[in-house]
Amino acid sequence: MPSPRSRRKYKPELDLNTYRAPLLAILTDLVSAPEVTASTLNKALRDHPKDGSGLFRREDIVRAYREFAGSHGLPPFDPAVLERIRLKPTRTRSGVTPVTVLTKPYPCPGECIFCPNDVRMPKSYLSGEPGAQRAEQNSFDPYLQTYTRLRAYYNTGHPTDKIEMIILGGTWSFYPETYQIWFIKRVFDALNDFSRGVDYAEAQFDAVEAALRAASQLHPDNNTTTASVQGLDLARTYNQVVQDVYRAEMARSREQAAAIRAGQRARAVTDEFATWEELEAAHRANETAACRCVGLVVETRPDHISAEEVLRIRRLGGTKVQIGIQSMDDRVLVMNKRGHDVAAARRAVTLLRQAGFKIHAHYMPNLYGATPESDREDYARLFGDPAIRPDELKLYPCSIIESAELMLHYQSGAWQPYTHDELLGVLKDCFLTTPEYCRLTRVIRDIPSTDIIDGNQLTNFREVVERALAAEGQRSPDIRGREVRGRQVAPEELRLDELWYATTIGEEVFLQMITAERDIAAFLRLSLPSADPITPELAGAAMIREVHVYGQSVGIGRSAPGKAQHIGLGTDLIERAAALARERGYARLAVISAVGTRDYYRKRGFADGALYQIRAL
Ligand code: SF4
């Protein structure tokens, strides 16, 4: 049975003026320290306790710094100081702040035997996963999820000006279009409200929260979900249970949308309904907001991708698609009931690339029917096949979860998780096979160890692999293994490197700014297509699919001297891409810009089109 849902509790904010003396003493210690490490900070917190004994929270210190910097004898506000006292600095070190939100529980067209069946969650997620818990606490509402994450980042001193929105859960393309439009519009509403100030946003949050508490079955207070397929109740599938449990919720949604469309009902914040025009207005408001969406990701299945679908995701504001490939072997796909073949993955990736999307593939070693040897060969096919060659990869070895059908094969002995050494061997080879243009974004899914029946439970297995490679004098050539992250980089340390490779639509150039050790400070993905365009808007155009500059994402308008984002690397790369495209005879250069980067590209000569921004060459 599922554990009871927890009701979100926020601790009231500390009254800074009541505690001004100890807070100023801590800040004075931190500002005057030559370097702030975890132990410096902990010492300052212990030296100046709250109420004589307790410790202040780090977010209290962040708030106090914002409030008191430049007064009470403290020097003016300095983002570098904030950077030193913030929690979990690595979260935003890649230059952009990620905000992950989950869609609601909903049927999925897939029947994959390795997929968890937790009916409190959208398909494939487990209610014990940290991100999933946050989503559930917010009733899967897009506004509340986005807002609470932004608030948490802000309170812990992270930048909130450049946000990558990652929308996860089941198969995005299978959710009704009205729900999709509404979901993304509400994400943008939260970004836009947050941009108007925390007080304003807090009032909106309270209103949505109260309405959901009164009306939504998905709200923790109104939870009526006691059904479960945990414990291998395979007589009823996830889809059957979800439809049963949420029947009322789904029917209510459909009726409300129909009534709103017919003009018979006024709109409430709980109505899962929005029009394209409303979404596009929310997009426009975000173009110049303080908290901009610089990337938007959805996840879907290859057999639900069509030309129409990729252009629709684009119209929603999408820039990247997570696509479940899982295996490049039709036999393994059949054994795991994936419901699509490798040809479907090849078609989907080709269409996504034609539309300029960044392609974030999912791949699973240790599936039913695979062996360590077959996985090594299969993984190499991801990059050997010009129809695949993903830009990013989640490398998730199959785990055994009690609610997954794979449990039957585990119980019969037909499938077993790899041993530690087998897994290490496979992953080491996968790392070394990954080309420089691909980023291994995640390795090992962060499933709570209590949900894993057998096999690897180490969520830091990437580090295990990296250490093993380092012991052999090697490192992963992938992007993540080479990022400069928060390190200071002098422009003269960098040189431009161009990696050319073929795809099914033409040529691809990975332009990277690297150091002598091949550490990467910035990159640009340029498509030089020779195939017919997917939309007339792209006729005769080369395409910038991604520009990424590493370095701590400091606030808009603030400087961080020497850090990669601030030495014009993005502009240099765009100009080089334009020159390459011109040399190759393209008349135009398109970019799949995110809503929040439209202004950036306008300033670099790109004009707004229907779905893309385009510059004449
Ligand atoms: S398509 Fe994805 S979410 Fe759906 S069953 Fe398969 S793995 Fe799970």
Side-chain angles (χ1 to χ4, degrees):
M1 292 292 285
S3 57
R5 296 185 191 206
S6 54
R7 181 78 183 89
R8 183 191 55 252
K9 290 269 183 278
Y10 291 118
K11 288 187 188 158
E13 287 193 336
L14 190 78
D15 181 353
L16 297 178
N17 282 317
T18 305
Y19 294 97
R20 190 163 56 196
L23 288 169
L24 283 172
I26 291 170
L27 290 171
T28 305
D29 285 0
L30 296 180
V31 168
S32 56
E35 196 190 5
V36 177
T37 60
S39 65
T40 329
L41 183 60
N42 290 336
K43 179 173 183 317
L45 293 175
R46 280 195 309 273
D47 287 351
H48 310 286
K50 182 182 169 197
D51 297 323
S53 58
L55 296 185
F56 288 101
R57 295 176 300 175
R58 191 104 47 122
E59 63 184 74
D60 299 331
I61 308 302
V62 167
R63 278 185 58 233
Y65 182 65
R66 285 202 180 99
E67 182 75 18
F68 298 140
S71 63
H72 304 83
L74 288 175
F77 180 87
D78 178 354
V81 173
L82 188 61
E83 189 180 318
R84 292 197 305 246
I85 58 179
R86 75 163 51 108
L87 283 169
K88 297 181 184 157
T90 51
R91 279 272 162 76
T92 48
R93 251 196 201 146
S94 68
V96 168
T97 303
V99 170
T100 300
V101 292
L102 259 63
T103 49
K104 65 182 179 182
Y106 197 76
C108 177
E111 295 177 353
C112 315
I113 64 168
F114 48 80
C115 189
N117 288 297
D118 185 337
V119 292
R120 287 164 58 187
M121 289 289 127
K123 186 76 169 111
S124 101
Y125 289 85
L126 288 159
S127 39
E129 294 176 271
Q133 284 176 354
R134 282 196 295 269
E136 190 176 33
Q137 283 160 3
N138 286 297
S139 321
F140 301 96
D141 181 80
Y143 187 99
L144 300 186
Q145 291 184 69
T146 308
Y147 176 74
T148 46
R149 205 68 188 123
L150 291 173
R151 177 170 59 185
Y153 275 128
Y154 179 83
N155 285 345
T156 47
H158 288 274
T160 51
D161 59 336
K162 286 179 246 145
I163 305 294
E164 180 177 44
M165 289 303 314
I166 304 166
I167 301 172
L168 301 181
T171 296
W172 172 259
S173 307
F174 198 64
Y175 284 78
E177 182 180 90
T178 307
Y179 177 81
Q180 295 180 6
I181 299 171
W182 167 79
F183 193 96
I184 295 184
K185 179 197 177 270
R186 292 301 284 156
V187 163
F188 275 90
D189 284 347
L191 292 169
N192 295 338
D193 285 351
F194 197 79
S195 299
R196 295 166 72 174
V198 172
D199 290 345
Y200 177 87
E202 198 73 25
Q204 310 305 307
F205 177 91
D206 288 345
V208 179
E209 227 282 335
L212 277 169
R213 188 178 309 128
S216 169
Q217 185 187 350
L218 294 168
H219 192 279
D221 280 0
N222 305 338
N223 172 28
T224 53
T225 309
T226 51
S228 172
V229 290
Q230 301 281 5
L232 206 63
D233 172 12
L234 293 171
R236 299 174 78 221
T237 65
Y238 170 93
N239 288 356
Q240 287 167 339
V241 177
V242 161
Q243 288 192 52
D244 239 19
V245 171
Y246 298 108
R247 193 177 299 279
E249 187 86 7
M250 290 182 196
R252 188 179 65 91
S253 269
R254 280 196 300 273
E255 280 161 22
Q256 285 167 346
I260 294 164
R261 251 189 229 103
Q264 295 162 350
R265 187 179 195 285
R267 196 87 60 88
V269 284
T270 49
D271 293 338
E272 293 170 355
F273 180 87
T275 62
W276 280 110
E277 292 69 29
E278 287 165 341
L279 171 63
E280 283 155 6
H283 281 171
R284 281 193 297 279
N286 190 250
E287 286 176 8
T288 50
C291 183
R292 289 183 208 171
C293 175
V294 300
L296 192 147
V297 190
V298 296
E299 67 175 341
T300 195
R301 282 170 58 88
D303 54 347
H304 279 253
I305 284 292
S306 61
E308 193 188 20
E309 175 64 2
V310 293
L311 294 176
R312 216 169 51 80
I313 295 174
R314 181 64 200 135
R315 190 175 176 195
L316 289 165
T319 55
K320 186 192 294 181
V321 171
Q322 293 198 19
I323 184 110
I325 290 177
Q326 319 306 9
S327 171
M328 292 289 289
D329 182 338
D330 279 339
R331 182 187 63 89
V332 171
L333 290 174
V334 169
M335 287 178 76
N336 289 271
K337 298 192 185 170
R338 267 298 286 179
H340 68 78
D341 55 10
V342 177
R346 302 176 90 240
R347 262 193 311 274
V349 172
T350 298
L351 286 167
L352 289 166
R353 190 174 269 121
Q354 273 185 293
F357 279 94
K358 288 165 272 293
I359 295 143
H360 188 170
H362 296 187
Y363 181 83
M364 298 179 73
N366 201 183
L367 284 173
Y368 179 45
T371 63
E373 292 68 38
S374 74
D375 276 339
R376 287 181 171 92
E377 283 170 26
D378 197 55
Y379 186 82
R381 283 195 279 271
L382 277 178
F383 300 101
D385 187 338
I388 306 291
R389 299 189 168 162
D391 304 313
E392 289 184 47
L393 199 65
K394 278 183 176 169
L395 184 50
Y396 283 168
C398 186
S399 298
I400 181 71
I401 309 290
E402 193 182 16
S403 65
E405 187 182 335
L406 180 63
M407 193 70 183
L408 297 175
H409 300 303
Y410 171 72
Q411 286 168 337
S412 74
W415 178 89
Q416 279 191 329
Y418 292 164
T419 63
H420 177 94
D421 288 350
E422 282 172 336
L423 188 59
L424 180 59
V426 169
L427 292 185
K428 267 169 60 185
D429 287 344
C430 290
F431 276 41
L432 293 175
T433 311
T434 308
E436 285 198 341
Y437 61 76
C438 181
R439 184 174 195 267
L440 290 175
T441 304
R442 288 280 174 90
V443 179
I444 305 288
R445 188 165 158 191
D446 191 5
I447 298 173
S449 55
T450 45
D451 283 319
I452 299 177
I453 301 293
D454 192 6
N456 174 60
Q457 295 188 348
L458 296 174
T459 51
N460 71 337
F461 211 91
R462 178 202 288 269
E463 289 161 36
V464 175
V465 180
E466 284 171 345
R467 276 201 300 272
L469 288 174
E472 295 167 8
Q474 307 194 78
R475 75 163 172 176
S476 176
D478 85 290
I479 295 173
R480 181 139 178 327
R482 298 184 295 122
E483 288 165 1
V484 298
R485 312 206 121 200
R487 189 158 75 73
Q488 303 279 325
V489 195
E492 55 278 11
E493 272 186 77
L494 296 170
R495 68 179 171 86
L496 178 66
D497 180 88
E498 291 172 8
L499 192 62
W500 291 66
Y501 56 100
T503 68
T504 29
I505 68 156
E507 280 185 300
E508 190 78 23
V509 195
F510 182 68
L511 297 109
Q512 51 177 347
M513 298 296 291
I514 53 173
T515 65
E517 297 75 37
R518 302 194 77 76
D519 287 353
I520 184 166
F523 68 84
L524 181 148
R525 299 184 191 277
L526 175 67
S527 265
L528 300 171
S530 47
D532 287 342
I534 195 166
T535 161
E537 190 184 350
L538 295 177
M543 167 79 81
I544 294 179
R545 295 194 302 117
E546 182 170 17
V547 181
H548 197 106
V549 182
Y550 287 98
Q552 185 70 57
S553 90
V554 298
I556 288 172
R558 293 183 190 139
S559 65
K563 289 206 172 164
Q565 284 200 326
H566 298 271
I567 50 181
L569 295 182
T571 305
D572 287 355
L573 285 169
I574 291 168
E575 293 311 315
R576 178 61 189 150
L580 275 175
R582 204 178 295 117
E583 277 168 25
R584 292 289 168 133
Y586 292 88
R588 306 185 311 145
L589 179 61
V591 60
I592 183 164
S593 45
V595 167
T597 58
R598 287 176 183 163
D599 211 38
Y600 173 89
Y601 285 107
R602 282 180 200 129
K603 289 181 180 137
R604 282 156 185 80
F606 290 79
D608 296 0
L611 296 178
Y612 299 88
Q613 288 181 292
I614 297 180
R615 176 169 139 182
L617 293 174

